C-alpha cells in the first residue's frame, strides 16, 4: 500500500492546495486537448470561408489562452508535488512518460493549427476523429496511476 511521504504530512495543507490547483490545471488542459482536435474535425469539413475564419480564431484562442497556459501550469505544479513533497514510485515514472506524450500531442496540435491557419490542412476529418481519441486513453491511464498508485510488485 502506498504511503504519503513524511514531507506531505508535515505540510499537508500546502500539499492539498497545490494538488487542487494541479487538478484544476489538468482539467483545463484536457478540456483543450479534447476540444481543439474536435474543432479541427469541423474545420476540415467546412468549405465556407466565413466558418473557416471563425474556426481559425477559435483554435488560436483555445490553444494560446487555455491549453498552453494550463498545460504549463499542470507540469509545473506536478513537478512541485513530486519533487517538493518527495512523491516517487514506478507509477509516477509511467505517468510522467504519458504526460510527455501529451506534450508531444500538444505540440502536434500546434502544427495542425498552423496548417489550418495557412489553409494547408492535409488531414481528413476521419483521421482527425481518431487523433482526437488519444488524450482520452492517456487520461484514463493517468487517473488510474495517480489514484491506485500501483507498485507493480517492485516497491
Amino acid at each position: 500500500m502506498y504511503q504519503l511521504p513524511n514531507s506531505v504530512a508535515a505540510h499537508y495543507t500546502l500539499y492539498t492546495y497545490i494538488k487542487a490547483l494541479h487538478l484544476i490545471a489538468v482539467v483545463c488542459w484536457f478540456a483543450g486537448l479534447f476540444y481543439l482536435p474536435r474543432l479541427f474535425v469541423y474545420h476540415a469539413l467546412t468549405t465556407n470561408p466565413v466558418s473557416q475564419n471563425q474556426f481559425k480564431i477559435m483554435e488560436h484562442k483555445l490553444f494560446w489562452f487555455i491549453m498552453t497556459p494550463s498545460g504549463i501550469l499542470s507540469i509545473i505544479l506536478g513537478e512541485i508535488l513530486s519533487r517538493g513533497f518527495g512523491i516517487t514510485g514506478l507509477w509516477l515514472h509511467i505517468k510522467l512518460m504519458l504526460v510527455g506524450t501529451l506534450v508531444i500531442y500538444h505540440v502536434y496540435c500546434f502544427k495542425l493549427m498552423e496548417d489550418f491557419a495557412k489553409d494547408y490542412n492535409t488531414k481528413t476529418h476521419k483521421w482527425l476523429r481518431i487523433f482526437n481519441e488519444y488524450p482520452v486513453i492517456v487520461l484514463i491511464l493517468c487517473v488510474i496511476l495517480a489514484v491506485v498508485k500501483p507498485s507493480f510488485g517492485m516497491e
Side-chain angles (χ1 to χ4, degrees):
M1 170 117 303
Y2 184 82
Q3 290 185 328
L4 289 174
N6 290 336
S7 58
V8 171
H11 300 93
Y12 189 71
T13 301
L14 178 61
Y15 171 80
T16 56
Y17 276 104
I18 294 171
K19 189 174 182 179
L21 292 173
H22 174 66
L23 290 171
I24 292 165
V26 167
V27 168
C28 293
W29 189 24
F30 270 98
L33 290 171
F34 293 152
Y35 189 50
L36 184 62
R38 183 55 51 187
L39 287 175
F40 293 158
V41 169
Y42 300 134
H43 194 159
L45 288 170
T46 189
T47 56
N48 178 340
V50 174
S51 295
Q52 288 176 341
N53 285 333
Q54 187 64 39
F55 279 119
K56 290 175 187 178
I57 292 167
M58 292 168 64
E59 292 159 359
H60 178 85
K61 288 182 177 183
L62 177 61
F63 185 86
W64 289 112
F65 300 123
I66 296 172
M67 274 177 65
T68 300
S70 58
I72 291 168
L73 194 57
S74 295
I75 292 166
I76 290 170
L77 292 170
E79 283 294 312
I80 291 170
L81 287 169
S82 65
R83 293 175 190 252
F85 292 96
I87 297 171
T88 61
L90 181 58
W91 68 270
L92 181 61
H93 293 285
I94 295 169
K95 184 178 169 223
L96 291 174
M97 182 191 71
L98 291 168
V99 171
T101 68
L102 277 183
V103 171
I104 293 166
Y105 183 91
H106 185 111
V107 171
Y108 194 70
C109 282
F110 173 77
K111 184 232 182 277
L112 292 172
M113 181 183 69
E114 289 295 300
D115 287 348
F116 275 112
K118 296 173 187 171
D119 297 318
Y120 186 69
N121 172 50
T122 60
K123 306 298 183 195
T124 67
H125 70 93
K126 290 180 182 178
W127 187 93
L128 291 164
R129 286 177 197 275
I130 294 167
F131 176 75
N132 188 215
E133 299 307 319
Y134 183 73
V136 175
I137 296 164
V138 173
L139 176 64
I140 291 167
L141 294 173
C142 284
V143 168
I144 290 170
L145 288 167
V147 172
V148 177
K149 296 176 179 52
S151 66
F152 302 102
M154 303 174 89
E155 296 171 352

